[in-house]
Amino acid sequence: MEEVIQIPRIIDSFPDLGIVTLRAHPSATAYCLPATRTELFTGSIMAGQIFMDMRKLIKDFQHGPGIATGIGSFDLHPDFLNNGLLYITHAETFKGQPTDI
């Protein structure tokens, strides 16, 4: 086995967590799009870089500790290479309101 990419672990929560989901980049290059509980990354076979930090983008983003917090999953729009759209499931702090779907 050879390490080809290293994504930083989340160390500000217990337990410290790594990748929760991973998608191949639709350009069919060596790039991938991994996600931890709080961030989406873009990476080549040499390095990973933060693409989106959900803690900065979503006001009431809840990332832990506990089950079902942070980024649950994400998927790319079928035309992602042209429109840049992606879909995420994530947890937010409970505000006593019905679910916003």
Side-chain angles (χ1 to χ4, degrees):
M1 293 181 78
E2 177 184 351
E3 184 176 302
V4 293
I5 187 170
Q6 181 175 356
I7 303 299
R9 296 182 67 74
I10 301 170
I11 57 173
D12 62 344
S13 65
F14 179 81
D16 69 335
L17 303 166
I19 295 173
V20 295
T21 191
L22 178 68
R23 301 282 183 264
H25 195 281
S27 65
T29 63
Y31 283 86
C32 59
L33 296 167
T36 64
R37 273 191 165 182
T38 59
E39 297 160 327
L40 291 174
F41 289 81
T42 182
S44 70
I45 60 172
M46 300 304 292
Q49 299 173 357
I50 294 174
F51 176 63
M52 294 179 141
D53 185 339
M54 296 298 137
R55 295 170 292 188
K56 295 178 181 175
L57 296 173
I58 300 172
K59 179 183 173 193
D60 294 314
F61 185 76
Q62 176 60 258
H63 67 280
I67 297 173
T69 64
I71 297 172
S73 186
F74 73 97
D75 212 346
L76 305 174
H77 186 279
D79 199 25
F80 175 80
L81 292 176
N82 292 315
N83 63 26
L85 294 175
L86 57 91
Y87 307 96
I88 65 168
T89 60
H90 67 280
E92 295 181 8
T93 305
F94 180 68
K95 299 179 277 283
Q97 298 173 330
T99 303
D100 179 13
I101 298 178

